Amino acid sequence: PAQSALAIRQADLAIVVTPFFSEAISEYADVVLPAAPFSETSGTFINAEGRVQSFEGACRPLGEARPAWKIFCALGKLLELPGFDYASSAEAREKILPSACVEGLDNGLKNAFTPWEAPWPAPDALQRVSDVPVYFSDSLVRRASALQKTRDAAPPEARMHPKTLERLEISEGDRVTIRQGYANAILKARSDATLPEGSVRVAAAHPLSAGLGDMFGTLLAARA
């Protein structure tokens, strides 16, 4: 996220297509075009099983909002670019996924394991272990006030093995500064004996941790 924000701020023109507006967007967007969320438009996705699944919008978009594919088609036509002349999402689906190819589609998801040896980190570095909690992942559920009151929406913590906490002279409940990539994050320390020593679990996709680097990589942790 930090690298993306840096690239956007360096652009000559930033056009944001989004269902939601915020002060953060206003800081770098030159133009904001209101898009309908996925629940208000039709579309198609390929699930983890390799099956093609299409859906319809549950209701009409609010106000002047339009499905994102319609917005991009309109922009493509204005710029006289080829391939933007679709009249519906179904038409685009038939072009990209012809009916003859839908049956038995293999999207390449396999359970094969490819060995990879990570570089040995610096002596004081920790290995980040990350996940995306279920109520952080989607723009709609992040704004659902009822869901944000559940345990699954609790803020991320810096979870470490008790011996790792002891080595870093950090006690459970202490505020910890996590340094990774372009930014820092200050989180509460939590003891977790299920994690391997030398690692720290920090959930992604939350405002408190969104500025950090890769979900799996090295980072530094110290008492704030």
Side-chain angles (χ1 to χ4, degrees):
Q3 289 176 298
S4 299
L6 180 62
I8 292 172
R9 289 186 172 90
Q10 292 175 342
D12 294 331
L13 176 65
I15 302 175
V16 177
V17 180
T18 177
F20 305 104
F21 184 76
S22 66
E23 291 185 5
I25 290 176
S26 66
E27 292 179 3
Y28 57 79
D30 298 299
V31 179
V32 179
L33 301 178
F38 73 88
S39 55
E40 297 175 5
T41 183
S42 59
T44 298
F45 65 91
I46 300 173
N47 67 16
E49 195 180 16
R51 295 181 182 272
V52 176
Q53 294 183 295
S54 297
F55 56 90
E56 299 293 335
C59 60
R60 295 179 63 85
L62 180 66
E64 296 299 313
R66 295 291 183 268
W69 69 266
K70 281 190 175 182
I71 295 175
F72 286 113
C73 278
L75 292 175
K77 290 178 181 179
L78 287 173
L79 296 172
E80 300 182 349
L81 299 175
F84 287 89
D85 53 352
Y86 297 115
S88 69
S89 62
E91 185 179 333
R93 178 193 64 207
E94 292 302 319
K95 178 71 173 180
I96 298 170
L97 296 172
S99 56
C101 298
V102 171
E103 293 297 329
L105 180 70
D106 182 0
N107 67 351
L109 291 178
K110 306 295 182 183
N111 289 325
F113 175 73
T114 302
W116 179 74
E117 184 175 349
W120 191 257
D124 55 348
L126 301 173
Q127 182 68 36
R128 180 180 180 181
V129 179
S130 189
D131 65 297
V132 179
V134 63
Y135 294 149
F136 294 1
S137 60
D138 178 80
S139 59
L140 292 181
V141 298
R142 284 201 301 267
R143 291 169 171 82
S145 56
L147 297 179
Q148 295 306 312
K149 294 178 182 178
T150 66
R151 183 176 62 181
D152 288 327
E157 299 174 318
R159 307 180 73 90
M160 289 174 270
H161 191 279
K163 291 186 178 180
T164 303
L165 290 173
E166 182 180 359
R167 176 167 62 85
L168 297 176
E169 298 181 349
I170 297 173
S171 300
E172 183 167 15
D174 285 350
R175 287 162 54 86
V176 177
T177 299
I178 302 294
R179 295 183 176 87
Q180 184 190 24
Y182 293 88
N184 300 337
I186 297 180
L187 307 173
K188 183 182 294 186
R190 181 70 62 191
S191 178
D192 190 340
T194 65
L195 293 170
E197 295 183 42
S199 68
V200 55
R201 180 176 177 178
V202 178
H206 188 276
L208 292 178
S209 59
L212 296 176
D214 296 338
M215 291 178 62
F216 298 91
T218 57
L219 52 73
L220 300 175
R223 185 187 299 170

